[in-house]
């Protein structure tokens, strides 16, 4: 599971930090979380196969999180995309995209499946993963997302299987999947004898924009990587919560309460040219923390 | 008069050419022609005082010419702009901007004066300049623009004035402005004796997107600098006109028919990584031609 922060600025893009967007690649599928202005240009700088995007998740409709969407859709269409594309976002996103379609003769050559979210729920589910959402606490309706890999089968002990005389081939695959196997000669092999306990899936959580809230903690609980906004820091003195935002300390407290593996802070206000102050503030509470830059790459490895 | 091409690509941005936008600075005023995605980022790389933008002219509503507008307006608002901003464009632009205002709680802190153009006309006029528009020939309603400096007074012959005993100071300013002057001692000075013939103003013409048409020639007649789209070239074999576009040869023919000072070709399709083929095709017809790159600067100097 690979995550690339495409834009890590807040409110307005700068030459250093673009508007909010984050890409996630998992087993050949590519997902986009938020799509601020310039996202398609940032995607061009990544190894992602973004022409084949599986789904786009928009947190909320402030411009710095969604203004890149019409252009990205236009480019996908010019690039001859034919597959339907799922777009999830708050109520209002259909109207916004409809206005672009009507005014611009967008002429999309693929189907847009836009789903407006009105309640916390599972949005996507396959055999391998699911994507869930909960409402965050911002000045406009805003949704947090968790991308969750399902538990994966335990390790297969090939040496033990050899010693027990399990024939190579598809039979071993059945054992891996938890199925017991009977051979024509009467021998029986039990999955539990050769396969270790199933391993937890990996998870990525996207929490911006929001002030600290229970939903953020719930969404992030036990996540491997929490991407959380830290628009401000406490020492800056801005009324972050009044503006529906978080400080670096808030981010660290959410990460601590949720017991995440790593906290990555993003949506950094342009006033923090050097984000060291944010990092120091968060580290006092939660040491496994980084400040994202545009085009940073984060690999979430499976637990051994 | 300084022009900077901010984005010179066609249809979709690439890492080499951004979406359409061109800035113009004239005596402290700044104007923007088209505003594709990423324009605000490009503006940050220029010396323009774009926070004080005087007016924005949108040619048409295809995404690569207008998708940067909502973000730019949001940034101007976050930058505490208070002055009203004029935006001109085709019918539909009000609805598009209204959708953004409604969906995004843009909360602009300055007044947007949006004028939808329905007929060729003079859009702006001051003592120094005017901006006129005519309809081009694209697949959707599309407007060409000319920014025209008014004729400026002729040169004042200071030596001759000294010899004739014209007192220094504001009297000389009156002579420059064409006013004759009488002194209390009875002496009379006539403007025509000290001031040469008035000099033509400078002009910049913005013609994209369009197939070649009479209006483009009319708009560009005698212009100092014609910025004209050359999405394709003849040898490429694309049905440029069917798509409402021009080739490099078309651009050169319009420039020749209009007798412009210099032709600058822009809106270059991504298929021409090296635009030399466009340049060569145009030069056969009109030698004073360049292909614009992003952030190219063009100074139009006053004729001596």
């Amino acid at each position: 599971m690979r995550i690339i922060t495409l834009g890590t600025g807040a409110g307005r893009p700068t030459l250093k930090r673009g508007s909010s967007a984050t890409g996630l690649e998992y087993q050949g599928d590519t997902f986009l979380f938020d799509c601020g202005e310039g996202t398609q240009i940032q995607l061009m700088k990544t190894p992602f196969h973004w022409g084949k995007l599986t789904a786009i998740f928009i947190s909320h409709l402030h411009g710095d999180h969604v203004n890149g969407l019409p252009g990205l859709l236009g480019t996908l269409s010019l690039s001859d995309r034919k597959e339907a594309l799922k777009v999830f976002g708050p109520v209002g996103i259909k109207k916004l995209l409809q206005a672009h379609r009507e005014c611009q003769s967008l002429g999309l050559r693929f189907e847009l499946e836009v789903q407006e979210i009105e309640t916390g729920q599972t949005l996507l589910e396959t055999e391998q993963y699911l994507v869930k959402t909960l409402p965050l606490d911002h000045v406009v309706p805003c949704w947090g997302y968790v991308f969750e890999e399902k538990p994966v089968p335990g390790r297969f002990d090939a040496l033990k299987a050899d010693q027990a005389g399990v024939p190579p081939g598809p039979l071993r695959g059945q054992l891996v999947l938890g199925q017991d196997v009977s051979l024509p000669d009467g021998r029986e092999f039990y999955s539990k004898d050769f396969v270790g306990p199933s391993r937890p899936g990996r998870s990525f959580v996207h929490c911006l924009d929001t002030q600290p809230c229970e939903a953020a903690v719930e969404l992030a609980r036990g996540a491997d990587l929490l991407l959380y906004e830290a628009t401000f820091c406490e020492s800056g003195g801005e009324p972050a919560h009044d503006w529906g935002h978080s400080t670096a300390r808030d981010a660290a407290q959410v990460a601590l309460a949720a017991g995440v593996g790593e906290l990555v802070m993003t949506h950094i206000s342009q006033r923090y040219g050097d984000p060291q102050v944010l990092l120091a503030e968060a580290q006092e509470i939660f040491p496994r923390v980084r400040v994202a830059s545009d085009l940073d790459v984060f690999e979430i490895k499976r637990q051994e």
Side-chain angles (χ1 to χ4, degrees), chain A:
Chain A
M1 191 181 298
R2 178 192 288 173
I3 289 116
I4 303 184
T5 46
L6 303 165
T8 60
R12 49 176 292 183
T14 64
L15 291 178
K16 191 169 171 193
R17 295 185 183 276
S19 290
S20 288
T22 301
L24 183 152
E25 194 178 45
Y26 175 73
Q27 296 190 342
D29 282 338
T30 308
F31 306 85
L32 187 60
F33 294 86
D34 279 347
C35 188
E37 183 175 356
T39 296
Q40 60 175 317
I41 289 288
Q42 292 296 85
L43 281 168
M44 290 174 203
K45 301 173 187 169
T46 73
F48 286 161
H49 300 293
W50 56 279
K52 300 286 181 194
L53 265 176
T54 305
I56 300 174
F57 303 91
I58 301 294
S59 64
H60 65 299
L61 295 183
H62 280 158
D64 58 321
H65 296 257
V66 71
N67 279 344
L69 188 52
L72 175 61
L73 297 177
T75 292
L76 290 175
S77 197
L78 284 173
S79 307
D80 256 355
R81 180 184 176 113
K82 296 288 189 296
E83 305 84 9
L85 176 60
K86 291 177 174 28
V87 177
F88 299 90
V91 173
I93 193 167
K94 281 187 179 176
K95 189 175 170 187
L96 186 63
L97 289 174
Q98 190 57 30
H100 275 271
R101 296 184 80 156
E102 284 175 13
C103 298
Q104 301 189 327
S105 330
L106 259 187
L108 291 185
R109 292 171 206 145
F110 59 89
E111 191 184 350
L112 260 195
E113 297 173 0
V114 186
Q115 179 177 332
E116 295 188 333
I117 309 172
E118 297 189 65
T119 180
Q121 63 192 284
T122 297
L123 298 169
L124 276 184
E125 182 163 10
T126 71
E127 285 191 5
Q128 283 76 42
Y129 64 82
L130 40 77
V131 183
K132 294 185 293 192
T133 186
L134 282 179
L136 300 177
D137 190 359
H138 194 39
V139 292
V140 296
C142 184
W143 297 91
Y145 297 102
V146 54
F147 182 94
E148 194 175 299
E149 182 185 40
K150 292 186 175 177
V152 292
R155 295 196 159 277
F156 183 73
D157 189 335
L159 184 62
K160 192 173 176 190
D162 288 343
Q163 291 168 341
V166 180
L171 281 186
R172 293 189 175 198
Q174 287 178 249
L175 290 171
V176 168
L177 293 174
Q179 299 160 11
D180 300 329
V181 167
S182 302
L183 294 190
D185 62 13
R187 282 184 294 161
E188 295 198 329
F189 300 110
Y190 301 101
S191 175
K192 68 176 173 48
D193 293 337
F194 303 99
V195 180
S198 75
R199 292 166 292 170
R202 296 161 287 179
S203 58
F204 163 76
V205 174
H206 186 268
C207 271
L208 52 155
D209 294 353
T210 189
Q211 53 180 307
C213 60
E214 271 308 306
V217 175
E218 189 180 336
L219 208 58
R221 199 172 309 282
D224 291 288
L225 194 157
L226 167 62
L227 187 71
Y228 190 96
E229 73 130 297
T231 312
F232 303 109
C233 65
E234 294 292 327
S235 60
E238 288 88 359
H241 297 186
D242 291 350
W243 296 339
H245 285 296
S246 292
T247 63
R249 187 170 75 187
D250 294 331
Q253 282 172 336
V254 169
L256 183 69
V260 305
E262 184 177 18
L263 166 65
V264 175
M265 299 191 293
T266 188
H267 200 266
I268 311 298
S269 167
Q270 61 167 340
R271 67 199 74 186
Y272 304 109
D274 175 0
Q276 182 56 38
V277 58
L278 302 181
L279 196 61
E281 184 172 296
Q283 278 172 331
E284 285 185 15
I285 294 165
F286 190 83
R288 298 184 303 279
V289 55
R290 292 169 61 178
V291 176
S293 296
D294 288 12
L295 297 175
D296 273 355
V297 179
F298 303 85
E299 299 275 359
I300 306 183
K301 299 212 182 301
R302 187 164 286 146
Q303 290 177 32
E304 293 304 316

